[in-house]
Amino acid sequence: MSFKVYLARTRGFCAGVERAIAVVNRALEKYGTQKVYVLHEVVHNKHVVADLASRGAHFVEHLSQIPNPEDKVVIFSAHGVGTKTVEAANALKLIVIDATCPLVNRVHFKVSRAAKEQKEVVIIGHTGHQEVVGTVGQYDGPEDKVHVILTPQDVEKLDLVSNKAIFATQTTLSIDETALTVKALKEKFSFIEGPKNDDTCFATQNRQAAVKTLAQECDLVIVAGSKNSSNSKRLSEVASSMGVRSYLIDDCEGISDEMLAGATKVGVTAGASVPEYIVQDILKVLAQKGGSEVILTGDEQIHRVFPLPDGLD
Ligand code: SF4
């Protein structure tokens, strides 16, 4: 077996993920391993979560799972939480550290303001995804005034009760598919306010642009990322939508000879929550299987840094 490997320059950790991981590490240094709890996976990557857990962070799905909560530390994940969760944490006298990505917070602010202005809100995103749950949870108003939709077909079925509404989107959606939903939304509800395109973040946008470049060059695209990572899944779907075989794998153990069969140009990229060592492990396995020539493709990654929350920097 012999093939070339095309590696996306723009891949892996984004600024929001780096910040969230740094928050947990700093909290462990500052408060010690007995006290630090993280509500939900801090980012959607099983290796990152396992690594932080091995350093002493406790991951929980509910605040009620934190024993003797007074003076324990709770960290909210990069995906954000609703205001009721913040209130519940304060009521339990937990020390709250918010690792919500600043770009998710920007969407939270818009939804919160819409509630104050008594506007309805349409959120384009995946029902049940942690980020969407947190964004819906910013709306302090009647529940029937917040709508979560995803596709243009959902727009057809959508009824708004007033003519004052905004839309917002999950930050990690497919750019192309979201554009169709936004178009349908604006056509049906001409009064709706919102961003020019969507609220997808720079990391989502430039990783999807990079995977398109890979898909143009390659006959197989391997995306490193966990199955519950929205942005990683979208990368694999974008490649598939361009007619290229694509696989989403957690790590090098996901590579098989069947996967590589017949491929002459294998693209490799990684979602925004994937550590670089996972990519390097994948490259090593590909080299063992006949893909030792690695060609960097696409634009240089623009490295951004988000400051840590107050009290941790
Ligand atoms: S993918 Fe975007 S929104 Fe999510 S953490 Fe990274 S920069 Fe923030």
Side-chain angles (χ1 to χ4, degrees):
M1 206 181 322
S2 173
F3 52 88
K4 287 181 183 167
V5 175
Y6 291 73
L7 177 63
R9 283 194 177 88
T10 298
R11 65 176 185 274
F13 277 179
C14 63
V17 163
E18 285 184 338
R19 176 179 181 268
I21 295 168
V23 164
V24 180
N25 281 320
R26 274 294 296 128
L28 287 168
E29 283 167 21
K30 183 168 176 180
Y31 296 100
T33 57
Q34 303 303 313
K35 289 187 73 167
V36 176
Y37 289 76
V38 185
L39 185 62
H40 310 303
E41 291 191 345
V42 68
V43 302
H44 284 156
N45 184 269
K46 74 173 199 177
H47 294 287
V48 170
V49 170
D51 179 51
L52 292 172
S54 75
R55 290 168 199 233
H58 306 274
F59 287 87
V60 294
E61 287 302 310
H62 302 282
L63 294 178
S64 60
Q65 293 171 302
I66 303 176
N68 306 316
E70 195 166 331
D71 294 332
K72 295 272 173 46
V73 175
V74 66
I75 298 172
F76 298 143
S77 76
H79 310 102
V81 297
T83 54
K84 286 199 168 56
T85 304
V86 180
E87 287 163 13
N90 288 333
L92 289 168
K93 296 197 169 62
L94 285 156
I95 299 166
V96 172
I97 302 175
D98 190 0
T100 306
C101 177
L103 302 184
V104 174
N105 271 330
R106 214 162 58 178
V107 180
H108 284 187
F109 178 74
K110 290 196 288 187
V111 172
S112 169
R113 189 175 58 192
K116 289 191 185 90
E117 294 171 349
Q118 297 180 332
K119 292 176 179 171
E120 271 178 90
V121 173
V122 180
I123 296 167
I124 303 173
H126 294 270
T127 303
H129 184 280
Q130 208 57 54
E131 182 185 326
V132 173
V133 172
T135 302
V136 169
Q138 302 304 313
Y139 193 82
D140 185 11
E143 280 179 17
D144 63 351
K145 287 198 160 188
V146 190
H147 314 267
V148 179
I149 64 164
L150 187 60
T151 65
Q153 292 71 36
D154 295 335
V155 175
E156 282 173 28
K157 291 181 240 154
L158 180 66
D159 278 325
L160 297 182
V161 293
S162 67
N163 60 0
K164 288 201 310 182
I166 72 152
F167 78 90
T169 79
Q170 195 177 336
T171 56
T172 51
L173 297 177
S174 154
I175 313 286
D176 295 341
E177 289 176 9
T178 305
L180 298 176
T181 307
V182 169
K183 182 168 178 284
L185 200 55
K186 287 180 175 174
E187 280 172 5
K188 182 165 176 181
F189 305 106
S190 56
F191 55 85
I192 200 162
E193 301 165 38
K196 182 163 176 281
N197 298 314
D198 57 45
D199 294 301
T200 58
C201 68
F202 73 97
T204 294
Q205 292 167 13
N206 58 28
R207 278 155 190 69
Q208 285 182 23
V211 84
K212 282 183 179 177
T213 304
L214 281 186
Q216 279 162 1
E217 307 248 17
C218 302
D219 40 25
L220 166 66
V221 171
I222 295 173
V223 179
S226 288
K227 303 278 181 282
N228 63 343
S229 162
S230 176
N231 83 84
S232 304
K233 268 169 89 171
R234 302 292 88 78
L235 293 179
S236 184
E237 288 170 5
V238 167
S240 298
S241 73
M242 293 175 67
V244 176
R245 270 195 309 134
S246 179
Y247 296 88
L248 178 64
I249 59 172
D250 259 306
D251 48 45
C252 60
E253 288 184 13
I255 298 171
S256 64
D257 289 345
E258 296 75 47
M259 179 190 286
L260 298 172
T264 58
K265 296 176 174 181
V266 176
V268 175
T269 187
S273 47
V274 179
E276 178 61 14
Y277 76 85
I278 296 287
V279 175
Q280 295 305 319
D281 287 349
I282 287 171
L283 295 180
K284 276 184 211 145
V285 171
L286 290 177
Q288 287 161 8
K289 290 182 178 292
S292 52
E293 184 181 350
V294 178
I295 301 152
L296 284 167
T297 62
D299 296 336
E300 285 298 336
Q301 173 136 235
I302 300 164
H303 194 75
R304 293 177 66 173
V305 178
F306 293 149
L308 293 182
D310 287 347
L312 280 184
D313 47 4

